[in-house]
Amino acid sequence: MTIGVLGLQGDIEENVAATSQALQELHVNGTVDIVRYTEELEKIDGLILPGGESTVQSTLAAIQRSLPAIKKRISEGMPVLGSCAGMIMLSKRAYDRIIGDTKQKLLGNLDIVVERNAFGRQNDSFEADLSLAMLGKEAFRGVFIRAPAVSEVGKDVEVIGKLNNRIVVVKQKNIIGTAFHAELSGDSRMHKHLINMVLQFKNKNGS
Ligand code: GLN
């Protein structure tokens, strides 16, 4: 299998490393490719949208005209993990407490509304242990950097994790969004979960 990491901006290499570690630990034969263009997006079986700065990512994706290709692959069921800015990219609408609707170009595959910088700005970045039943009993260490929170979820969206009563992990079919950086904790369980979704999706589609 080939997992793509969207290579526009943000912690791209960290996601490549976390995915490679997860493939190894699962003994799954696969490669991790940094992808940017439509042709590259057609060759992957799963995608990671890294954390970083969502306005920069959407502007670069628009310039490279890759948004429609990403949107199409995800709407066809290709598994995807979006962390932090990546989750914002997947959302239907994003706003900021100070400026309101941020009017950025979004993919809109994930039926959620997000509040950007919901936990404060850079100085308010923090780590927290989260209980995520989807990944097993052991707590997952979330690294929150200028993190968003989910403020509204559509009817097909499962709430997977909360912190201080705010929604920080969601799942809608093969789409996972996390408000924290799953690739920065050294715990590869979230990336393993994505790989397992890809295995299931490939089995179902007979490829
Ligand atoms: N605050 C950033 C945004 O709104 C996201 C931060 C992150 O990805 N660490 O795009």
Side-chain angles (χ1 to χ4, degrees):
M1 69 163 72
T2 304
I3 305 286
V5 177
L6 189 65
L8 297 175
Q9 185 272 338
D11 55 354
I12 300 160
E13 293 300 337
E14 292 82 349
N15 269 293
V16 171
T19 313
S20 305
Q21 182 192 338
L23 283 166
Q24 253 178 23
E25 286 172 3
L26 287 172
H27 305 290
V28 169
N29 207 349
T31 50
V32 192
D33 282 351
I34 296 175
V35 294
R36 293 183 191 91
Y37 301 105
T38 310
E39 315 83 76
E40 296 167 332
L41 286 156
E42 268 151 25
K43 292 184 196 133
I44 56 175
D45 305 298
L47 177 65
I48 294 176
L49 303 177
E53 183 53 46
S54 58
T55 46
V56 177
Q57 294 181 2
S58 24
T59 306
L60 291 174
I63 292 170
Q64 297 182 351
R65 296 171 217 255
S66 45
L67 280 177
I70 302 171
K71 199 175 165 130
K72 178 167 169 275
R73 291 298 321 268
I74 300 173
S75 64
E76 289 164 357
M78 178 183 70
V80 57
L81 167 64
S83 288
C84 204
M87 178 174 80
I88 299 172
M89 292 284 290
L90 286 166
S91 72
K92 284 231 148 87
R93 190 169 84 79
Y95 68 95
D96 185 297
R97 218 172 300 156
I98 298 160
I99 58 172
D101 199 313
T102 46
K103 296 198 178 77
Q104 60 206 98
K105 281 201 165 50
L106 301 167
L107 292 161
N109 298 83
L110 180 55
D111 191 7
I112 59 171
V113 176
V114 291
E115 179 185 338
R116 293 178 60 196
N117 305 308
F119 298 94
R121 298 196 174 258
Q122 191 74 21
N123 289 342
D124 306 307
S125 297
F126 60 95
E127 294 185 15
D129 279 334
L130 302 161
S131 155
L132 306 175
M134 179 179 91
L135 300 182
K137 273 207 180 109
E138 210 183 302
F140 193 94
R141 189 91 182 143
V143 179
F144 292 78
I145 305 169
R146 288 176 291 115
V150 179
S151 49
E152 284 174 42
V153 295
K155 63 172 177 18
D156 296 327
V157 178
E158 266 176 85
V159 173
I160 303 291
K162 283 189 174 183
L163 177 69
N164 302 340
N165 247 347
R166 305 224 55 182
I167 301 171
V168 291
V169 189
V170 289
K171 184 168 186 200
Q172 180 184 329
K173 296 201 182 93
N174 280 345
I175 309 172
I176 299 179
T178 70
F180 52 84
H181 288 252
E183 66 287 352
L184 295 183
S185 56
D187 183 335
S188 61
R189 280 180 292 163
M190 195 61 85
H191 290 71
K192 282 186 188 145
H193 192 83
L194 174 74
I195 292 165
N196 281 324
M197 290 197 312
V198 172
L199 287 173
Q200 269 178 22
F201 187 67
K202 278 171 79 73
N203 261 345
K204 215 168 79 190
N205 286 276
S207 57

